[in-house]
């Protein structure tokens, strides 16, 4: 044994080949600080051994190395910039020292070699992958760039264009693709990986591979003349701008770093990488995106833990109502392998529900994502019915009939009479109190909310709403069923609007007030989309939600939380609803919807809407972007804070993920709590105070005021 650490060890084989094996104590190998320093020690040990002729790097796990340890990032990136720079420079030098070993090196890649794992393989002279391998540099997804030499070595190995494509999209490559692009030298069957690597290394030792030239190529300037260079980097810049837009600094920084380093050798290029990495590590976007990664892990592990406690396995589901949501839920259950009975009172609706599923599958087939076998099995998994008797043996019923408490009450009662004693019953209501609906049931303990988002097959979130009488066992079963459907469950407590709609409607109210004070809804949408980063501004979103749904939901919110959410008389939503401008569903709302010449959906601000609003609004005037953002976002943030303070949601991290997954909150802002923390709680309090006279949705809670004064963070415990 040449070296033995906690995460890796090195042994010398009789033929003079040393095997450096990553074998961390946890389930996967990753580059935490400990592993980096062990790699350095192992490199020193290898260098000092006179009888070593070459090094094989491999993993003893089912996957190579998954990347850096992201849980260390928050602490690391909180350090002053100079210290982050020192840390990343020192770490990348560890990889340089490995690369400089005086004999050939090869990595044998199985499973994932991502981020730092990929950079480890790039520090080797040769790479062989097995057919399970996937290699990539996903740092961009965290708002970062590779920091252990990736921006230097990959472009020199596979060309700047390809390398920038890898890095700016963050997408990994399967073994065959990596081979075709020159990122690996051979691909073999998994059982042959070690032998193949040993034999290639032996060839290198025997002088049959020009490994020295390969190494020199990684350490020299890029082989591009001035013209090629200009072409290559200006194309990359334009592509990145088109794809990432201006809110995500990381991909832009990568293109600049690789371009500026093109004429430099390894040392010079690495210096630029170290600086670029540090700048990004200190950016708000990286903080938000790393925060999302950690919050997502928290949500996933919480979900898994809850699901583990489930005593009931959902093998057969029923959906009541074959409308937009019922059809979508049935599809989702079926495609993930759980048969589903879809019940409606109307044969036409059943046909539409089935058609909808077939349409989604058809689109998947066109894109090569769905096989004919999956299409057939999914459709076979959905059994339409008009009869209650068909649901008698199901494990889980998801009610998705019209949003009317009376109808839902009757349907739930009938359901209970037709299922077995231990069937779990859920409602997909978006606004009606779960406690109120539970009153229709003899056994409310087996009942909870299961709130899917539209379109079901695309939206990752399911908000699971615990009523006062819901048991832990019921929640566990529903969480497990949600995971089985491929969705992310977040459990919240019952209240008007639950979490997501409760924070969305004050945002809409802020928007209504802004329009009534003279703002142009198109200008508001523009600011909220282009500057704040929402996928749709509030007017467009209201058109998608539908004015009937929005009007109804705001009545529910007004009844439930009258102290803050009283309906505003003659606000734009009410006016549009009353004149039957329901939004996208009937082609007219704030915008008029049509189809353009190429058959694509188009929208144009509606003169009719302006005319409707004019008598009830102040004269039109321009608002600064900052004011627009403040006036719609403060009410959302305030309500999210109240939800946390009241225990509706378990943590700021879960609230942020719910808004990200349920509403499409801009990822570079990380969620509503991350947004106010980035602003600084004291600044948020000051900003809200400035608008406090606009009404109760602008008035902040004592809780946040105290947190701001005492310098506390919403993320200190959770993520
Ligand atoms: N549409 C959305 O964006 C959305 C999002 C989240 C939650 N929801 C909620 O999902 C539920 C359904 O909404 P939707 O948009 O799919 O409505 P929808 O009008 O498209 O569909 C409702 C379906 O229920 C059927 N139905 C009515 N009474 C029934 C009964 N007694 N038994 C069986 N079926 C019956 C109708 O025939 C219709 O097919 C509502 O509670 C809604 O609030 C909707």
């Amino acid at each position: 044994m040449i070296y033995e650490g906690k995460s890796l060890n090195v042994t010398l084989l009789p033929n003079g080949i040393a095997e450096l094996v990553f074998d961390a104590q946890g389930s996967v190998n990753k580059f935490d600080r400990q592993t980096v320093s062990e790699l350095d020690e192992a490199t020193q040990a290898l260098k000092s051994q006179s009888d070593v002729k070459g090094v094989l790097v491999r993993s003893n796990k089912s996957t190579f190395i998954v990347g850096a340890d992201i849980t260390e990032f928050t602490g690391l990136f909180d350090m002053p910039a100079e210290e982050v720079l020192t840390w990343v420079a020192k770490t990348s030098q560890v990889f340089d020292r490995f690369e400089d070993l005086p004999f050939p090196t090869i990595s044998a890649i199985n499973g994932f070699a991502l981020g730092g794992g990929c950079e480890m393989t790039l520090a080797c002279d040769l790479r062989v992958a097995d057919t399970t391998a996937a290699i990539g540099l996903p740092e961009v997804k965290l708002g970062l760039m590779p920091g252990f030499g990736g921006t230097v070595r990959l472009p020199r190995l596979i060309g700047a264009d390809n390398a920038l494509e890898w890095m700016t999209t963050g997408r990994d490559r399967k073994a065959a693709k990596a081979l075709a692009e020159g990122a690996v030298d051979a691909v073999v069957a998994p059982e042959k990986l070690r032998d193949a690597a040993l034999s290639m290394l032996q060839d290198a030792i025997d002088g049959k591979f020009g490994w020295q030239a390969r190494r020199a190529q990684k350490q020299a300037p890029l082989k591009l003349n001035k013209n090629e260079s200009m072409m290559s980097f200006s194309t990359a810049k334009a592509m990145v701008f088109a794809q990432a837009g201006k809110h995500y600094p990381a991909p832009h920084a990568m293109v600049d770093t690789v371009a500026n380093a093109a004429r430099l050798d390894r040392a010079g290029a690495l210096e630029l990488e170290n600086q670029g990495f540090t700048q990004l590590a200190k950016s708000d976007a990286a903080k938000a995106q790393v925060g999302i990664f950690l919050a997502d892990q928290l949500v996933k592990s919480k979900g898994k833990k809850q699901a583990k406690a489930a005593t009931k396995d959902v093998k057969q589901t029923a959906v009541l109502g074959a409308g937009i949501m019922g059809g979508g839920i049935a599809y989702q259950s079926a495609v993930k392998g759980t048969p589903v009975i879809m019940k409606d009172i109307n044969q036409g609706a059943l046909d539409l529900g089935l058609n909808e599923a077939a349409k989604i599958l058809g689109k998947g087939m066109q894109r090569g994502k769905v096989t004919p076998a999956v299409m057939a099995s999914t459709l076979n998994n959905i059994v339409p019915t008009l009869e209650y008797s068909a649901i008698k043996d199901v494990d889980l019923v998801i009610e998705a009939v019209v949003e009317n408490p009376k109808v839902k009450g009757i349907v739930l009662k009938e359901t209970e009479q037709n299922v077995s004693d231990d069937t779990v019953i859920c409602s997909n209501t978006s606004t009606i109190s779960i406690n109120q609906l539970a009153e229709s049931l003899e056994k409310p303990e087996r009942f909870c909310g299961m709130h899917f988002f539209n379109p079901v097959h695309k939206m990752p979130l399911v908000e699971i709403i615990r009523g006062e009488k819901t048991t832990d066992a019921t929640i566990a079963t529903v969480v497990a069923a949600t995971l089985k459907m491929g969705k992310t469950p977040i459990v919240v407590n019952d209240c008007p609007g639950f979490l997501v709609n409760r924070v969305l409607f004050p945002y809409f109210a802020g928007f209504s007030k802004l329009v009534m004070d003279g703002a142009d809804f198109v200008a508001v949408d523009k600011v909220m989309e282009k500057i704040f980063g929402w996928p749709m501004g509030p007017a467009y979103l209201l058109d998608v939600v539908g004015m009937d749904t929005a009007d109804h939901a705001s009545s529910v919110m007004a009844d439930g939380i009258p102290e803050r959410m009283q309906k505003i008389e003659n606000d734009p939503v009410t006016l549009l609803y009353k004149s039957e401008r329901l939004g996208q569903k009937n082609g007219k709302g704030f915008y008029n919807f049509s189809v353009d010449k190429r058959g694509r959906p188009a929208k144009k601000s509606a003169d009719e809407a302006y005319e409707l609003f004019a008598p009830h609004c102040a004269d039109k005037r321009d608002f600064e972007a900052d004011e627009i953002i403040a006036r719609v976002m403060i009410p959302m943030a305030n309500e999210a804070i109240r939800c946390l303070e009241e225990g509706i949601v378990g943590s700021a991290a879960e609230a942020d993920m719910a808004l990200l997954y349920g509403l499409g909150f801009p990822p570079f802002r990380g969620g509503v709590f991350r947004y106010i923390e980035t602003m600084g709680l004291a600044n948020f309090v000051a900003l809200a105070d400035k608008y406090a006279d606009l009404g109760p949705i602008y008035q902040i809670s004592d809780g946040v005021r105290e947190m701001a004064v005492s310098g506390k963070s919403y993320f200190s415990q959770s993520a």
Side-chain angles (χ1 to χ4, degrees), residues 311-352:
T311 48
K312 186 178 176 64
D313 182 22
V314 173
K315 295 196 198 76
Q316 171 75 58
T317 300
V319 172
L320 307 180
I324 302 171
M325 297 307 287
I329 297 166
Y331 161 82
Q332 192 62 31
S333 175
V335 79
K336 291 291 175 185
T338 306
V340 56
I341 292 163
M342 184 166 70
K343 184 192 173 300
D344 206 291
I345 44 172
N346 177 339
Q347 183 59 45
L350 287 176
D351 296 342
L352 275 178

Side-chain angles (χ1 to χ4, degrees), residues 319-327 329 343-346 349-350 388 399-404 407-408 410-411 414 427-432 450-455 501 544-545 549 552 585:
V319 172
L320 307 180
I324 302 171
M325 297 307 287
I329 297 166
K343 184 192 173 300
D344 206 291
I345 44 172
N346 177 339
L350 287 176
Y388 266 124
E399 170 277 306
V401 304
V402 284
E403 185 76 346
N404 175 319
V407 176
K408 283 195 191 285
I410 295 167
V411 168
E414 288 170 349
S427 173
N428 180 47
T429 177
S430 28
T431 51
I432 306 166
M450 193 176 186
H451 183 206
F452 288 82
F453 291 77
N454 186 17
N501 283 331
V544 171
V545 167
T549 307
H552 168 79
K585 66 176 77 170

